[in-house]
Coordinates of all heavy atoms in Angstrom, one line a residue:
L1 N 97.9 106.3 89.6 CA 98.9 105.5 89.0 C 100.1 105.2 89.9 O 101.1 104.6 89.4 CB 99.4 106.1 87.7 CG 98.3 106.3 86.6 CD1 98.8 107.1 85.4 CD2 97.8 104.9 86.1
E2 N 100.0 105.7 91.1 CA 101.1 105.5 92.1 C 100.6 104.3 93.0 O 99.5 104.3 93.5 CB 101.4 106.7 92.9 CG 101.9 107.8 92.0 CD 102.2 109.1 92.8 OE1 101.9 109.1 94.0 OE2 102.8 110.0 92.3
I3 N 101.5 103.3 93.2 CA 101.2 102.2 94.1 C 102.0 102.4 95.4 O 103.2 102.5 95.3 CB 101.6 100.9 93.4 CG1 100.8 100.7 92.1 CG2 101.3 99.8 94.4 CD1 101.4 101.2 90.9
R4 N 101.3 102.6 96.4 CA 101.9 102.9 97.7 C 102.6 101.7 98.3 O 102.1 100.6 98.3 CB 100.8 103.4 98.7 CG 101.4 103.8 100.0 CD 100.3 104.5 100.9 NE 100.8 104.6 102.2 CZ 100.7 103.7 103.2 NH1 100.0 102.6 102.9 NH2 101.1 103.9 104.4
I5 N 103.8 101.9 98.8 CA 104.6 100.8 99.5 C 104.6 101.2 101.0 O 105.3 102.2 101.4 CB 106.0 100.7 99.0 CG1 106.0 100.3 97.5 CG2 106.7 99.6 99.8 CD1 107.4 100.4 96.9
P6 N 103.7 100.7 101.8 CA 103.7 101.1 103.2 C 104.9 100.7 104.0 O 105.6 99.7 103.7 CB 102.5 100.4 103.8 CG 102.0 99.5 102.7 CD 102.8 99.6 101.5
Q7 N 105.3 101.6 104.9 CA 106.4 101.3 105.8 C 106.2 100.0 106.5 O 105.1 99.7 106.9 CB 106.6 102.4 106.8 CG 107.8 102.2 107.7 CD 108.1 103.5 108.5 OE1 107.5 104.5 108.3 NE2 108.8 103.3 109.6
G8 N 107.3 99.1 106.5 CA 107.2 97.9 107.2 C 106.9 96.7 106.2 O 107.0 95.6 106.6
L9 N 106.4 97.0 105.0 CA 106.1 96.0 104.0 C 107.5 95.4 103.5 O 107.5 94.1 103.3 CB 105.3 96.5 102.9 CG 104.9 95.6 101.8 CD1 103.9 94.5 102.4 CD2 104.2 96.2 100.6
L10 N 108.4 96.2 103.3 CA 109.7 95.7 102.8 C 110.7 95.8 104.0 O 110.6 96.7 104.8 CB 110.2 96.6 101.6 CG 109.3 96.5 100.4 CD1 109.8 97.5 99.3 CD2 109.2 95.1 99.8
P11 N 111.8 95.0 103.9 CA 112.8 95.1 105.0 C 113.5 96.4 105.0 O 113.7 97.0 103.9 CB 113.7 93.9 104.7 CG 113.4 93.5 103.3 CD 112.1 93.9 103.0
P12 N 114.0 96.8 106.1 CA 114.8 98.1 106.1 C 116.1 98.0 105.3 O 116.6 96.9 105.2 CB 115.1 98.3 107.6 CG 114.3 97.4 108.4 CD 113.8 96.3 107.4
K13 N 116.5 99.0 104.7 CA 117.8 99.1 104.0 C 118.8 99.9 104.8 O 118.6 101.0 105.2 CB 117.6 99.7 102.7 CG 118.9 99.7 101.9 CD 118.8 100.3 100.5 CE 120.1 100.2 99.7 NZ 120.0 100.8 98.5
Q14 N 119.9 99.2 105.3 CA 120.9 99.8 106.1 C 120.3 100.4 107.4 O 120.6 101.5 107.8 CB 121.7 100.8 105.4 CG 122.4 100.3 104.2 CD 123.2 101.3 103.3 OE1 122.9 102.5 103.4 NE2 124.0 100.8 102.5
G15 N 119.3 99.7 107.9 CA 118.6 100.2 109.1 C 117.5 101.2 109.0 O 116.9 101.6 109.9
I16 N 117.3 101.7 107.7 CA 116.3 102.7 107.4 C 115.1 102.1 106.9 O 115.2 101.3 105.9 CB 116.9 103.8 106.5 CG1 118.1 104.4 107.1 CG2 115.9 104.8 106.1 CD1 118.9 105.3 106.1
P17 N 113.9 102.4 107.4 CA 112.7 101.8 106.9 C 112.4 102.2 105.5 O 112.8 103.3 105.0 CB 111.6 102.4 107.8 CG 112.3 102.9 109.0 CD 113.7 103.2 108.6
V18 N 111.9 101.3 104.7 CA 111.7 101.5 103.2 C 110.2 101.8 103.1 O 109.3 101.0 103.5 CB 112.1 100.3 102.4 CG1 111.6 100.5 100.9 CG2 113.6 100.0 102.5
E19 N 109.8 102.9 102.5 CA 108.5 103.3 102.2 C 108.5 104.2 101.0 O 109.5 104.7 100.7 CB 107.7 103.9 103.4 CG 108.3 105.2 103.8 CD 107.5 105.8 104.9 OE1 106.2 105.8 104.9 OE2 108.1 106.3 105.8
G20 N 107.4 104.3 100.3 CA 107.3 105.2 99.2 C 106.2 104.8 98.2 O 105.2 104.2 98.6
V21 N 106.5 105.1 97.0 CA 105.5 104.7 95.9 C 106.2 104.2 94.7 O 107.4 104.5 94.5 CB 104.6 105.9 95.5 CG1 103.7 106.4 96.7 CG2 105.4 107.0 95.0
I22 N 105.5 103.4 94.0 CA 106.0 102.9 92.6 C 105.3 103.8 91.7 O 104.0 103.9 91.7 CB 105.6 101.4 92.4 CG1 106.3 100.5 93.4 CG2 106.0 101.1 91.0 CD1 105.9 99.1 93.4
L23 N 106.0 104.5 90.8 CA 105.4 105.4 89.8 C 105.2 104.6 88.5 O 106.1 104.5 87.7 CB 106.4 106.6 89.6 CG 106.7 107.4 90.8 CD1 107.7 108.4 90.5 CD2 105.5 107.9 91.5
S24 N 104.1 104.0 88.3 CA 103.8 103.1 87.2 C 103.9 103.8 85.9 O 104.1 103.2 84.8 CB 102.5 102.4 87.4 OG 101.4 103.3 87.3
Y25 N 103.7 105.1 85.9 CA 103.8 105.9 84.7 C 105.2 106.3 84.3 O 105.5 106.9 83.2 CB 102.9 107.1 84.8 CG 103.2 108.0 86.0 CD1 104.2 109.0 86.0 CD2 102.5 107.8 87.1 CE1 104.5 109.8 87.1 CE2 102.8 108.6 88.3 CZ 103.8 109.5 88.2 OH 104.0 110.3 89.3
Q26 N 106.2 105.9 85.0 CA 107.6 106.2 84.8 C 108.3 104.9 84.2 O 109.3 104.4 84.7 CB 108.3 106.6 86.1 CG 107.9 107.9 86.6 CD 108.3 109.1 85.7 OE1 109.4 109.1 85.1 NE2 107.5 110.1 85.7
V27 N 107.8 104.5 83.1 CA 108.3 103.3 82.4 C 109.8 103.4 82.1 O 110.5 102.4 82.1 CB 107.4 102.9 81.2 CG1 107.9 101.7 80.5 CG2 106.0 102.8 81.6
K28 N 110.2 104.6 81.8 CA 111.6 104.8 81.5 C 112.6 104.3 82.6 O 113.7 104.0 82.4 CB 111.9 106.2 81.1 CG 111.8 107.2 82.3 CD 112.1 108.6 81.9 CE 112.1 109.5 83.2 NZ 112.4 110.8 82.9
S29 N 112.0 104.3 83.8 CA 112.8 103.9 85.0 C 112.9 102.4 85.1 O 113.6 101.9 86.1 CB 112.1 104.4 86.3 OG 112.0 105.8 86.2
L30 N 112.4 101.6 84.2 CA 112.5 100.2 84.3 C 113.9 99.7 84.2 O 114.3 98.6 84.8 CB 111.6 99.5 83.3 CG 110.2 99.6 83.5 CD1 109.4 99.0 82.3 CD2 109.7 99.0 84.8
D31 N 114.8 100.3 83.5 CA 116.2 99.9 83.4 C 117.0 100.4 84.6 O 117.7 101.5 84.5 CB 116.7 100.4 82.0 CG 118.1 99.7 81.7 OD1 118.6 99.0 82.7 OD2 118.6 99.9 80.6
F32 N 116.9 99.7 85.7 CA 117.6 100.2 86.9 C 119.1 100.2 86.8 O 119.8 101.0 87.4 CB 117.1 99.4 88.1 CG 117.6 97.9 88.1 CD1 118.8 97.6 88.7 CD2 116.8 97.0 87.5 CE1 119.2 96.2 88.7 CE2 117.2 95.6 87.4 CZ 118.4 95.3 88.0
R33 N 119.7 99.4 85.9 CA 121.1 99.3 85.7 C 121.6 100.6 85.0 O 122.6 101.2 85.4 CB 121.5 98.1 84.9 CG 121.4 96.8 85.6 CD 121.8 95.6 84.7 NE 121.4 94.4 85.4 CZ 120.3 93.8 85.1 NH1 119.4 94.2 84.3 NH2 120.0 92.6 85.8
E34 N 120.9 101.0 84.0 CA 121.2 102.3 83.3 C 121.1 103.5 84.2 O 121.9 104.4 84.1 CB 120.3 102.5 82.1 CG 120.6 103.6 81.2 CD 121.9 103.5 80.5 OE1 122.4 102.4 80.2 OE2 122.5 104.6 80.2
R35 N 120.2 103.5 85.2 CA 119.9 104.6 86.0 C 120.8 104.5 87.4 O 120.6 105.3 88.2 CB 118.5 104.7 86.4 CG 117.7 105.0 85.1 CD 116.2 105.1 85.4 NE 115.8 105.9 86.5 CZ 115.6 107.2 86.4 NH1 115.7 107.9 85.3 NH2 115.2 107.9 87.5
N36 N 121.6 103.5 87.4 CA 122.5 103.3 88.6 C 121.7 103.2 89.9 O 122.1 103.7 90.9 CB 123.5 104.4 88.7 CG 124.5 104.3 87.5 OD1 124.9 103.3 87.1 ND2 124.8 105.5 87.0
L37 N 120.6 102.5 89.9 CA 119.8 102.3 91.1 C 120.2 101.0 91.8 O 120.8 100.1 91.1 CB 118.3 102.2 90.7 CG 117.7 103.4 90.0 CD1 116.2 103.2 89.6 CD2 117.8 104.6 90.8
S38 N 119.9 100.9 93.0 CA 120.3 99.7 93.7 C 119.0 98.9 94.1 O 118.0 99.4 94.4 CB 121.1 100.0 94.9 OG 120.4 100.8 95.8
Y39 N 119.2 97.6 94.2 CA 118.2 96.6 94.6 C 117.9 96.8 96.2 O 118.9 96.8 96.9 CB 118.6 95.2 94.3 CG 117.6 94.2 94.8 CD1 116.5 93.8 94.1 CD2 117.9 93.5 96.0 CE1 115.6 92.9 94.6 CE2 117.0 92.5 96.5 CZ 115.9 92.3 95.8 OH 115.0 91.3 96.2
V40 N 116.7 96.9 96.6 CA 116.4 97.0 98.0 C 115.7 95.7 98.4 O 116.2 95.0 99.4 CB 115.4 98.2 98.3 CG1 115.0 98.2 99.7 CG2 116.1 99.5 97.9
A41 N 114.6 95.3 97.8 CA 113.9 94.1 98.2 C 112.9 93.8 97.1 O 112.6 94.6 96.3 CB 113.2 94.3 99.5
T42 N 112.4 92.6 97.1 CA 111.3 92.1 96.2 C 110.0 92.5 96.9 O 109.8 92.0 98.0 CB 111.4 90.7 95.9 OG1 112.7 90.4 95.3 CG2 110.4 90.2 94.9
A43 N 109.1 93.2 96.2 CA 107.8 93.5 96.7 C 106.9 92.3 96.6 O 107.1 91.4 95.8 CB 107.2 94.6 95.9
P44 N 105.9 92.2 97.5 CA 105.0 91.1 97.4 C 104.2 91.0 96.1 O 104.1 92.1 95.4 CB 104.0 91.4 98.6 CG 104.7 92.4 99.4 CD 105.7 93.1 98.6
D45 N 103.8 89.9 95.8 CA 103.1 89.7 94.5 C 101.9 90.6 94.2 O 101.8 91.1 93.1 CB 102.6 88.2 94.4 CG 103.7 87.2 94.1 OD1 104.8 87.6 93.7 OD2 103.4 86.0 94.3
E46 N 101.2 91.0 95.3 CA 100.0 91.8 95.1 C 100.5 93.3 94.7 O 99.8 93.9 93.9 CB 99.1 91.9 96.3 CG 99.8 92.3 97.6 CD 100.3 91.2 98.4 OE1 100.4 90.1 98.0 OE2 100.7 91.5 99.6
I47 N 101.6 93.7 95.2 CA 102.1 95.0 94.8 C 102.6 94.9 93.3 O 102.3 95.9 92.5 CB 103.3 95.5 95.7 CG1 102.8 95.6 97.1 CG2 103.9 96.7 95.2 CD1 102.0 96.9 97.4
L48 N 103.3 93.9 93.0 CA 103.8 93.7 91.6 C 102.7 93.6 90.6 O 102.7 94.2 89.5 CB 104.8 92.5 91.5 CG 106.0 92.6 92.3 CD1 106.8 91.4 92.3 CD2 106.9 93.8 91.9
D49 N 101.7 92.8 91.0 CA 100.5 92.6 90.1 C 99.8 94.0 89.9 O 99.4 94.2 88.7 CB 99.5 91.6 90.7 CG 100.0 90.2 90.7 OD1 101.0 89.9 90.0 OD2 99.5 89.4 91.5
E50 N 99.6 94.7 90.9 CA 98.9 96.1 90.7 C 99.8 97.0 89.8 O 99.3 97.7 88.9 CB 98.7 96.7 92.1 CG 98.0 98.0 92.0 CD 97.8 98.7 93.3 OE1 98.0 98.1 94.4 OE2 97.3 99.9 93.3
T51 N 101.1 96.9 90.0 CA 102.0 97.8 89.2 C 101.9 97.4 87.7 O 101.8 98.2 86.9 CB 103.4 97.7 89.7 OG1 103.4 98.1 91.1 CG2 104.4 98.6 88.9
L52 N 102.0 96.1 87.5 CA 102.0 95.6 86.1 C 100.7 95.8 85.4 O 100.6 96.2 84.2 CB 102.3 94.1 86.1 CG 103.8 93.8 86.4 CD1 104.0 92.2 86.5 CD2 104.7 94.3 85.3
E53 N 99.6 95.7 86.2 CA 98.3 96.1 85.7 C 98.2 97.5 85.2 O 97.7 97.8 84.1 CB 97.2 95.8 86.7 CG 95.8 96.1 86.3 CD 94.8 95.8 87.5 OE1 94.9 94.8 88.1 OE2 94.0 96.7 87.7
K54 N 98.8 98.4 86.0 CA 98.7 99.8 85.6 C 99.7 100.1 84.4 O 99.3 100.9 83.6 CB 99.1 100.7 86.8 CG 97.9 100.6 87.8 CD 98.1 101.5 89.0 CE 96.9 101.2 89.9 NZ 96.9 102.2 91.0
V55 N 100.8 99.5 84.4 CA 101.8 99.7 83.3 C 101.1 99.2 82.0 O 101.2 99.8 80.9 CB 103.1 99.0 83.5 CG1 104.0 99.0 82.3 CG2 103.9 99.7 84.7
R56 N 100.5 98.0 82.1 CA 99.8 97.5 80.9 C 98.7 98.4 80.4 O 98.6 98.6 79.2 CB 99.3 96.1 81.1 CG 100.3 95.0 81.3 CD 99.7 93.6 81.4 NE 100.7 92.7 81.7 CZ 100.9 92.0 82.8 NH1 100.1 92.3 83.9 NH2 101.9 91.2 83.0
A57 N 98.0 99.0 81.3 CA 96.9 99.9 80.9 C 97.5 101.1 80.2 O 96.9 101.6 79.2 CB 96.1 100.3 82.2
I58 N 98.6 101.6 80.7 CA 99.3 102.7 80.0 C 99.7 102.4 78.6 O 99.5 103.0 77.6 CB 100.4 103.3 80.8 CG1 100.0 103.9 82.1 CG2 101.3 104.2 80.0 CD1 101.0 104.1 83.2
L59 N 100.4 101.2 78.5 CA 100.9 100.8 77.2 C 99.9 100.4 76.2 O 100.0 100.5 75.0 CB 101.9 99.6 77.4 CG 103.2 99.9 78.2 CD1 104.0 98.6 78.4 CD2 104.0 101.0 77.5
D60 N 98.7 100.0 76.7 CA 97.6 99.6 75.8 C 96.7 100.8 75.5 O 95.7 100.6 74.7 CB 96.7 98.5 76.5 CG 97.4 97.2 76.5 OD1 98.4 97.0 75.8 OD2 97.0 96.3 77.3
S61 N 96.9 101.9 76.1 CA 96.1 103.1 75.8 C 96.2 103.6 74.4 O 97.2 103.4 73.8 CB 96.4 104.2 76.8 OG 97.6 104.9 76.4
D62 N 95.1 104.2 74.0 CA 95.1 104.8 72.6 C 96.2 105.8 72.4 O 96.8 105.9 71.3 CB 93.7 105.3 72.3 CG 92.6 104.3 72.1 OD1 93.0 103.1 71.8 OD2 91.5 104.6 72.3
D63 N 96.4 106.6 73.4 CA 97.5 107.7 73.3 C 98.8 107.1 73.0 O 99.5 107.6 72.1 CB 97.5 108.5 74.6 CG 96.3 109.3 74.8 OD1 95.6 109.6 73.8 OD2 96.1 109.7 76.0
V64 N 99.2 106.0 73.6 CA 100.5 105.4 73.4 C 100.5 104.7 72.1 O 101.5 104.8 71.3 CB 100.8 104.3 74.5 CG1 102.1 103.5 74.2 CG2 100.9 105.0 75.9
A65 N 99.4 104.1 71.7 CA 99.3 103.4 70.4 C 99.5 104.4 69.3 O 100.2 104.1 68.3 CB 98.0 102.6 70.3
E66 N 98.9 105.6 69.4 CA 99.0 106.6 68.4 C 100.4 107.1 68.3 O 100.9 107.5 67.2 CB 98.0 107.7 68.6 CG 96.5 107.4 68.4 CD 95.6 108.5 68.8 OE1 96.1 109.6 69.0 OE2 94.4 108.2 69.0
E67 N 101.1 107.2 69.4 CA 102.4 107.8 69.5 C 103.4 106.9 68.6 O 104.3 107.4 68.0 CB 102.9 107.8 70.9 CG 104.3 108.2 71.1 CD 104.5 109.7 71.3 OE1 103.5 110.4 71.6 OE2 105.6 110.2 71.2
F68 N 103.2 105.6 68.6 CA 104.1 104.7 67.9 C 103.6 104.2 66.6 O 104.2 103.3 66.0 CB 104.4 103.5 68.9 CG 105.2 104.0 70.1 CD1 104.6 104.1 71.3 CD2 106.6 104.3 69.9 CE1 105.3 104.6 72.4 CE2 107.3 104.7 71.0 CZ 106.7 104.8 72.3
S69 N 102.5 104.7 66.2 CA 102.0 104.2 64.8 C 102.3 105.2 63.7 O 102.9 106.2 63.9 CB 100.5 103.9 64.9 OG 99.8 105.1 65.3

């Protein structure tokens, strides 16, 4: 459920290479304003598509459906 962001895919922030992972299971982190996060760069469509696919799978799962029913 982690989508890897390879070094060099996104532009450096303040001269520091950006790399890491998107934690698709951390849906609570979507509100970046509330969490005081800063914008770094827009990921390529293929990274965003993979992330959204995994978030949708989580939200469509039976466990989540039971939690809110």
